[in-house]
Amino acid sequence: MLLSRAGYIVEHVDDGEKAWTRISADVGWFDVLVTDTKMPRMDGLALVRRVRAAGFTGRIIVHSPGFVVEEKEPYQRCGVQAVVQKMSSIEVMLAAIDPHDRRPTAP
């Protein structure tokens, strides 16, 4: 909801398998994937590996309640741009999604 309010077009699914199904239908449609680490039916790392293998070139943000150093490495090897803690401010998430803040502005 916060990302929609910030001007982004957002699609939300409630598990990793649904996310994979949606992204794999048109891998070039999405600019950013925000995923959790633990989700029903497919975890975040499996999703990230699949979308990268399918040619997804967009930014990937992992939004998680917490990470230990060993957990970050496999995500970084898959080209994840940022890990954002779930208790972070919306500004932290927005900066991870678009570090140059290229959101469209109203005319």
Side-chain angles (χ1 to χ4, degrees), residues 3-78:
L3 295 176
S4 293
R5 287 184 192 160
Y8 291 99
I9 299 169
V10 177
E11 289 190 34
H12 176 269
V13 295
D14 56 7
D15 70 53
E17 189 64 41
K18 288 178 185 175
W20 165 245
T21 298
R22 178 59 187 101
I23 292 169
S24 65
D26 187 357
V27 76
W29 170 249
F30 295 94
D31 297 319
V32 178
L33 166 63
V34 178
T35 186
D36 199 339
T37 53
K38 294 178 178 39
M39 299 179 290
R41 298 177 23 162
M42 182 185 307
D43 69 20
L45 186 56
L47 176 61
V48 168
R49 286 179 172 151
R50 276 191 174 182
V51 299
R52 286 297 191 216
F56 180 76
T57 59
R59 292 183 65 76
I60 298 178
I61 312 303
V62 178
H63 192 224
S64 179
F67 260 108
V68 295
V69 173
E70 297 81 27
E71 290 176 314
K72 285 185 181 181
E73 188 178 324
Y75 284 97
Q76 290 170 332
R77 283 196 309 264
C78 293

